[in-house]
Amino acid sequence: MELDQALQTFIVEAHDLQQEMEAILLSIENHPNDVDAINALFRAAHTIKGSAGLFALDELVAFTHVVESVLDRVRDGELAIDGDLVALLLASSDHIGLLVEHVTRNVGTMTETDRLKETELLVSLNGYLGAPLPLQVSEPAAGQDEVHKETTGDSAENDNWHLSLRFGQDLLRNGMDPASFIRYLGTLGQIIRIIPMFDAMPPAAEMDPESCYMGLEIALRSEASKEAIEGVFDFVREESTIRILPPNSKVTDYLALIEELPSEHRLGEILVRIGALTQRELEEGLSLQQKSSSNQPLGEILVDQHSIQQPVVEAALKKQEHLRDTKQDTKAVRVDADKLDHLINLVGELVIASAGASLLANRTAGSELHEATSVITRLVEEVRDSALKLRMVQIGSTFNRFQRVVRDVSRELSKDIDLVINGAETELDKTVVEKIGDPLTHLVRNAMDHGIERADARQAKGKPPKGTLKLNAYHDSGSIVIEVSDDGDGLDRDKILEKARERGLVAPDQAISGNEIDHLIFEPGFSTASQVTNLSGRGVGMDVVKRAITALRGTIELDSHKGVGTTFRVRLPLTLAIIDGFQVRVGRSSFVIPLDMVLESVELSENDRKESKDHHYVNLRGEVLPFIRLRELFKIEDRPGQRENVVVVQSGAHKAGLVVDELLGELQTVIKPLGKIFAHLKGIGGSTILGTGEVALILDVPALIQKTMAQETFQTSPS
Amino acid sequence: MPNVETNASCCRLLLEEEMTIYTASDLKDKLFAAVKDHANTELDLSQVCEIDAAGLQILVLLKREAKRLRKTVSFTRLSPAVQELLSVFGMDTFFDESEVAA
C-alpha cells in the first residue's frame, strides 16, 4: 500500500468519524445516559487520534488526545454530560475537522486565530480533566498496584495483553515506521515491557539495509478491545505476522505462539522475561510437549487436554470473525466523484451516439439493423439509468447537518426547538445535494426565526412550549420533494399584503387569494421581519432561495395556516445530467425546452401573426399571453417559415409563449454545460448534442419568462 | 562521514545527522568497512537528529557483526533522538555492554 493512498483513506475516514462525533454529540444532549452513544463517541475520537498517530500528524494527535481523555472520564461516569460540555465538545469536534482539513489541503500550520482557539479549547477541556495529561508511552511505575485476578488452572498468571509482531520486509520501503505503531500502541494502554527481536536479520553480507527484519514482543496493559489493538496494525496486517493474546490467555496459547513463530525456543524465554508466562508454566508446558507423541502437533494435543475451555474460546473467536465478515460485506466501495462524473459523461456520449445510430438505422431499410439498434437503445437506457443511480446519495447526511444548525440557532434565539427528520433515506443526485444545502439552511433558519414563536407566546396559545421543525423528503413522480415545516404561527397575511401594496407589488384594489398572498414573500426584497435579528432580515430574502432552487430546475411553494404552522415544499428534479426535452426548430437551429415546463403548444394563426407584428402578446383563450420570438431574440436570419407555433411554458406562477417555426417532439436530452465564455448569455441554460451530431441549445425558461415580463412592463408603462 | 580520529587499530566516527531508510544503504557500507578495518570502532551518535528502524537495524547488525569478527564497536554520546527511539523499542540498555536480543 502506498502511503499517499493510506493517507487519503485516513482523511476520508477521519472526516466521517468527525461527522459521526458531531451527530452523536447532537443527540447525546437529550439522552445523557446513552452508554452506547458515549462509547461510540469515545471510539471515534480514539480512532482519529490513533490513525493520526500512524501518519505522525502530531497536532491532530495532541489535540484529539485531550478530547479523548475528557470523553474517557465521561465514559467512566466521572463527568456528567451537560449543555456546556456538549457545546465544548462540539467546538472541539469542529477543531478536529479543521485539523483534518489542514491535512487534506496540506497546510502545514494553523493560522494565529485557529491556534488561539485551540489554546482556548484546550484550557476548557483541561478544566474537565483537572490536570493536563501529557501524551507519553509510560514505563511501569514503581510500586504500581498490581491487579491480581483469580486465575484458573491453566491460565497464565498475567493481566497483560501479549503482542507478537513480525513486520513484513517491505514495511520500511512502504514508508511505515515500526516506532510509530509502538508510540500509538502506547496511547491504548501502558506498554509494560517491549523486547525487540532481530533474529530474522541475515548475516551482514546478505542484509538489505532497506528491508525490515524487526520483530517485537510486547506486554501491554490495556482496557481496549482486541479489535482496537488489532486496529493499530491495520495498515500492515497483510504483510506482517501479528499475534495478539488477550490477558490471562491459556498457557497453551502461548506455547502455540512459540511454535508458530520462527524464533523457536528463545521465544519461550522471552515470554518468561516479558512476564507473559512464569518459568514454571513454561517448563510444564514444554514437558507436556515432549511427552506427547512427536507426530501430532503440540497445539492439538494441548487443546484436547483442555477441551473444556476451548469451545468457549472458539465460539468467541468465531463470533468475532463473523462480525468482521459481515462488516466487510456491507462495506461500500469508495469511488472518486470525478471518476463517477467521467462515467456519467461517457454514458451521455453513449446516449447521443446511440441516438445517432438509430437515426441512421431508421433511414436505412433493413429490419435486422432496426432490431439490433432497438436492443442497443434499450440497453443504453438501462446503462444510463444505473449510471445515474450511482450518483444518487441519501439526503440524510444533508439533513443531519441541520441538527447542528437547529441546536446552535435555537440557543442563539433562546427558543426550545426540536428537529424531526423523515425520509432521510430518500435518494437524489449528489450534485443536487451539494447545491441544495444553502437554500435549505435559509429555510430552516427562517422557520426558526420567524416561524416558531417564543415559548411564552406558544404557551399563551395553548401550544407545547417546545417548537418542532420538521424536515421531510420523499419521491414524487420523477422528482424529489423536500419539506421544511414548522409548527409556528403561520404567515401574517395582513402584514404581507400591506407591505406588498406599499411596494406596489399588488394594486390597492386587486383581489388576491390567501395562497397568492403567501407566495408574495418570494418576491425580491420582500421581508416582513419587523425586528432585524442576527439571523434573518439582512436583506437576503426568500427570493434568493427561490432563485437558487429555480437554478436547479426546481420549484418552491408554501402552505401556511394561521396559528398552525408553515410548510415550504421544494420540488427538485432527481438529476441534473439528463432530462426529458422538447425539441423545436427556428430556421435551421434546434432548441430544447425542458419538457416539464411545457404546458401546451398552439399554432400562431395568420391573424395573430399580423397583429403581433407590433406587440408581443397573443390572446390565448381570452387570456393575455406575452411571448418572445426566438428568431428575434437570437437574431436568426434564416428565411422565416411558412408557419409559426407558440410553445406555452410555465415557471412558477408565470406563463409565457415562445414563438418557434417548427415543433419536433420529445427527446432524451443529455445536458452539457456551456463554457464560461457563455456564462453571461441570458436565456440559454446549456447545450446538448442531437442524434444527428448537431448541437442544440437548451433554453433557460425561467430567465426567458422574466424577460417577457420585463418587456411587457416596458411596453405598457408609457401608456 | 568525517573520521574524527583514526589509526591502524582504532577509528572514531562521528555519524551524520540522518540515520533513516534514505541513508541506510550508504551507512551500512561505510560502517561495515570501518569495522572490518579497525579493531576498535567508536561511533559518536551525538549529531544524529533523525533515526528510524532502518537506522537502528544497522546499529544492531553492526554490533552483531563486530562480535562475530571479534572486534569491538562502542556507541557513545547518544543523541536525544537515538535515546527516544531506543526507549520506544525497549532497548534503553542496548548500547551498554550487556547483550540484548541481538
Side-chain angles (χ1 to χ4, degrees):
Chain A
M1 184 175 359
E2 279 183 30
L3 191 64
D4 268 1
Q5 211 179 335
L7 186 63
Q8 282 307 318
T9 314
F10 161 73
I11 290 169
V12 173
E13 280 177 6
H15 180 76
D16 287 356
L17 285 166
Q18 189 256 329
Q19 299 269 306
E20 189 185 327
M21 277 181 77
E22 187 174 311
I24 297 170
L25 282 169
L26 291 165
S27 69
I28 213 165
E29 206 173 7
N30 299 327
H31 313 280
N33 296 321
D34 187 340
V35 181
D36 286 346
I38 292 170
N39 282 337
L41 198 58
F42 177 79
R43 269 201 307 277
H46 183 78
T47 313
I48 292 177
K49 182 186 84 174
S51 328
L54 292 183
F55 295 100
L57 304 170
D58 296 337
E59 280 184 342
L60 190 53
V61 173
F63 183 77
T64 320
H65 175 69
V66 182
V67 176
E68 185 195 350
S69 305
V70 172
L71 290 172
D72 193 32
R73 293 198 64 186
V74 173
R75 197 172 59 154
D76 292 346
E78 291 170 34
L79 278 178
I81 288 267
D82 60 16
D84 292 339
L85 182 56
V86 169
L88 176 62
L89 288 173
L90 274 173
S92 304
S93 153
D94 285 349
H95 191 72
I96 291 173
L98 180 85
L99 290 174
V100 173
E101 183 75 8
H102 279 186
V103 178
T104 319
R105 286 190 282 119
N106 214 353
V107 182
T109 48
M110 285 182 273
T111 62
E112 206 48 39
T113 33
D114 288 339
R115 198 170 294 280
L116 230 78
K117 205 174 152 217
E118 175 170 299
T119 317
E120 236 169 67
L121 286 171
L122 283 174
V123 167
S124 312
L125 286 168
N126 279 325
Y128 281 95
L129 288 175
L133 290 186
L135 175 65
Q136 61 185 23
V137 180
S138 41
E139 289 295 312
Q144 194 173 17
D145 50 330
E146 291 287 331
V147 189
H148 278 290
K149 282 190 190 156
E150 200 79 15
T151 47
T152 48
D154 50 2
S155 290
E157 291 182 27
N158 87 84
D159 307 322
N160 300 329
W161 291 84
H162 182 80
L163 286 77
S164 290
L165 313 173
R166 297 293 178 272
F167 294 116
Q169 291 214 345
D170 288 334
L171 187 90
L172 297 168
R173 259 180 234 117
N174 288 349
M176 310 268 184
D177 181 4
S180 51
F181 294 105
I182 305 312
R183 288 192 191 103
Y184 172 37
L185 195 65
T187 66
L188 286 183
Q190 195 177 19
I191 294 179
I192 302 296
R193 201 155 302 162
I194 177 165
I195 296 178
M197 310 281 288
F198 290 102
D199 37 11
M201 192 147 67
E206 293 154 39
M207 187 262 195
D208 177 350
E210 290 180 1
S211 287
C212 182
Y213 301 103
M214 217 179 178
L216 291 166
E217 296 293 320
I218 301 166
L220 174 77
R221 173 173 298 165
S222 170
E223 299 294 314
S225 67
K226 185 165 184 191
E227 222 167 17
I229 296 176
E230 273 179 347
V232 175
F233 304 102
D234 264 351
F235 289 108
V236 290
R237 189 179 297 150
E238 277 170 30
E239 49 194 66
S240 306
T241 310
I242 296 180
R243 294 290 171 270
I244 299 173
L245 293 180
N248 299 312
S249 284
K250 287 183 302 157
V251 176
T252 54
D253 290 335
Y254 289 106
L255 291 176
L257 186 72
I258 295 175
E259 195 168 71
E260 184 187 355
L261 295 175
S263 33
E264 315 241 322
H265 197 68
R266 261 180 54 81
L267 184 58
E269 288 163 24
I270 284 172
L271 287 174
V272 172
R273 260 196 15 227
I274 214 164
L277 293 175
T278 63
Q279 191 65 37
R280 184 183 54 84
E281 283 168 337
L282 176 68
E283 277 163 15
E284 277 174 13
L286 288 175
S287 69
L288 264 173
Q289 181 177 19
Q290 277 156 10
K291 266 185 243 163
S292 56
S293 61
S294 53
N295 55 0
Q296 207 178 350
L298 163 84
E300 278 179 29
I301 299 167
L302 292 178
V303 168
D304 287 347
Q305 286 171 349
H306 303 284
S307 50
I308 307 160
Q309 281 197 350
Q310 191 59 18
V312 186
V313 179
E314 261 175 17
L317 280 174
K318 259 202 186 125
K319 196 176 168 197
Q320 208 169 13
E321 252 166 42
H322 179 71
L323 278 175
R324 203 173 309 140
D325 284 352
T326 47
K327 209 173 162 188
Q328 261 162 9
D329 279 348
T330 54
K331 221 179 202 171
V333 182
R334 281 184 198 283
V335 182
D336 200 341
D338 290 344
K339 284 187 188 166
L340 217 50
D341 288 346
H342 183 62
L343 176 69
I344 305 272
N345 278 342
L346 284 179
V347 170
E349 299 289 342
L350 188 62
V351 169
I352 293 163
S354 96
S358 52
L359 206 73
L360 277 179
N362 285 338
R363 283 190 201 149
T364 323
S367 60
E368 279 173 9
L369 184 60
H370 272 258
E371 220 161 277
T373 48
S374 78
V375 172
I376 290 173
T377 306
R378 185 172 55 80
L379 287 173
V380 165
E381 269 167 27
E382 274 175 35
V383 169
R384 179 199 69 202
D385 289 347
S386 30
L388 286 178
K389 242 178 232 153
L390 287 181
R391 234 178 21 182
M392 295 295 218
V393 293
Q394 297 194 345
I395 200 172
S397 55
T398 309
F399 275 4
N400 282 330
R401 271 185 16 210
F402 289 109
Q403 297 276 14
R404 179 71 183 272
V405 175
V406 170
R407 186 185 173 281
D408 289 354
V409 173
S410 54
R411 279 204 152 201
E412 213 170 300
L413 295 168
S414 45
K415 288 179 184 175
D416 200 1
I417 299 169
D418 253 349
L419 178 67
V420 179
I421 290 175
N422 281 316
E425 69 291 341
T426 314
E427 291 188 325
L428 75 165
D429 195 294
K430 192 170 184 326
T431 42
V432 184
V433 167
E434 279 161 7
K435 288 178 183 154
I436 194 65
D438 286 348
L440 273 188
T441 309
H442 200 88
L443 287 177
V444 166
R445 282 173 166 257
N446 211 61
M448 283 190 288
D449 198 6
H450 302 311
I452 294 173
E453 319 91 319
R454 302 201 162 274
D456 44 348
R458 291 178 65 88
Q459 263 167 331
K461 287 174 199 155
K463 288 188 191 177
K466 199 170 199 174
T468 309
L469 185 75
K470 278 189 197 160
L471 284 174
N472 189 18
Y474 54 92
H475 282 152
D476 181 46
S477 62
S479 38
I480 182 171
V481 180
I482 303 169
E483 289 179 347
V484 180
S485 41
D486 62 64
D487 64 346
D489 201 28
L491 293 176
D492 188 341
R493 282 181 185 161
D494 297 338
K495 220 165 167 185
I496 295 172
L497 194 57
E498 188 189 320
K499 195 131 187 179
R501 291 206 164 123
E502 213 173 88
R503 294 185 177 223
L505 292 169
V506 177
D509 52 350
Q510 189 178 344
I512 184 166
S513 77
N515 198 25
E516 279 172 311
I517 297 175
D518 292 343
H519 280 83
L520 285 173
I521 63 167
F522 293 119
E523 294 299 324
F526 201 95
S527 171
T528 58
S530 39
Q531 190 189 358
V532 173
T533 66
N534 198 8
L535 298 171
S536 333
R538 279 184 293 198
V540 181
M542 288 310 215
D543 58 316
V544 177
V545 174
K546 184 170 184 176
R547 220 176 306 140
I549 287 165
T550 314
L552 294 171
R553 290 188 295 109
T555 56
I556 181 167
E557 55 184 30
L558 72 88
D559 215 350
S560 177
H561 298 282
K562 186 85 192 147
V564 181
T566 311
T567 299
F568 287 92
R569 206 166 286 122
V570 176
R571 193 176 280 270
L572 291 167
L574 284 180
T575 172
L576 295 178
I578 297 177
I579 57 162
D580 285 318
F582 186 70
Q583 193 187 346
V584 297
R585 183 175 285 276
V586 182
R588 280 200 301 271
S589 311
S590 286
F591 294 92
V592 174
I593 306 168
L595 190 63
D596 50 5
M597 295 187 169
V598 175
L599 283 182
E600 60 178 319
S601 46
V602 290
E603 198 183 331
L604 199 61
S605 67
E606 199 60 38
N607 211 11
D608 283 337
R609 284 183 78 173
K610 263 184 214 145
E611 277 184 17
S612 64
K613 279 272 187 285
D614 318 322
H615 53 74
H616 285 86
Y617 55 86
V618 287
N619 180 343
L620 180 71
R621 292 185 294 271
E623 203 183 319
V624 175
L625 183 76
F627 67 71
I628 280 190
R629 280 179 206 274
L630 294 187
R631 177 180 298 279
E632 288 169 14
L633 182 67
F634 297 120
K635 303 196 171 61
I636 297 167
E637 283 163 4
D638 302 337
R639 206 169 54 83
Q642 289 293 313
R643 296 178 183 170
E644 282 181 309
N645 289 286
V646 184
V647 180
V648 183
V649 290
Q650 182 175 30
S651 163
H654 304 296
K655 275 193 220 172
L658 302 174
V659 178
V660 302
D661 289 358
E662 200 182 340
L663 308 173
L664 297 175
E666 292 177 28
L667 85 163
Q668 282 282 333
T669 312
V670 180
I671 300 182
K672 303 258 168 198
L674 286 171
K676 278 207 176 101
I677 286 188
F678 302 111
H680 67 282
L681 273 186
K682 290 275 184 297
I684 301 289
S687 64
T688 188
I689 298 169
L690 302 172
T692 54
E694 281 176 66
V695 173
L697 296 174
I698 299 169
L699 298 178
D700 178 359
V701 172
L704 288 176
I705 289 183
Q706 255 180 358
K707 199 173 167 70
T708 59
M709 305 290 290
Q711 169 187 304
E712 195 183 9
T713 35
F714 173 74
Q715 286 190 344
T716 49
S717 50
S719 57
Chain B
M1 181 173 327
N3 293 4
V4 176
E5 264 169 43
T6 180
N7 61 43
S9 69
C10 193
C11 163
R12 185 156 173 260
L13 294 176
L14 181 68
L15 289 189
E16 283 166 354
E17 296 177 356
E18 190 183 343
M19 295 186 68
T20 64
I21 177 127
Y22 302 107
T23 58
S25 209
D26 268 3
L27 206 58
K28 184 191 164 199
D29 296 345
K30 284 182 186 161
L31 292 184
F32 278 82
V35 169
K36 204 175 276 172
D37 295 347
H38 302 90
N40 299 299
T41 311
E42 186 190 335
L43 298 180
D44 182 332
L45 301 177
S46 62
Q47 299 303 311
V48 177
C49 59
E50 205 183 346
I51 181 169
D52 67 1
L56 183 64
Q57 282 188 148
I58 302 278
L59 297 182
V60 171
L61 190 69
L62 202 63
K63 197 168 161 179
R64 200 160 77 182
E65 187 70 3
K67 200 178 166 194
R68 194 177 66 84
L69 298 171
R70 299 182 190 286
K71 310 226 171 156
T72 60
V73 178
S74 53
F75 305 91
T76 56
R77 303 213 292 160
L78 310 191
S79 72
V82 175
Q83 284 177 5
E84 197 268 346
L85 188 73
L86 288 176
S87 117
V88 165
F89 288 126
M91 296 167 70
D92 306 71
T93 57
F94 174 70
F95 292 129
D96 307 347
E97 279 318 294
S98 63
E99 258 313 295
V100 181

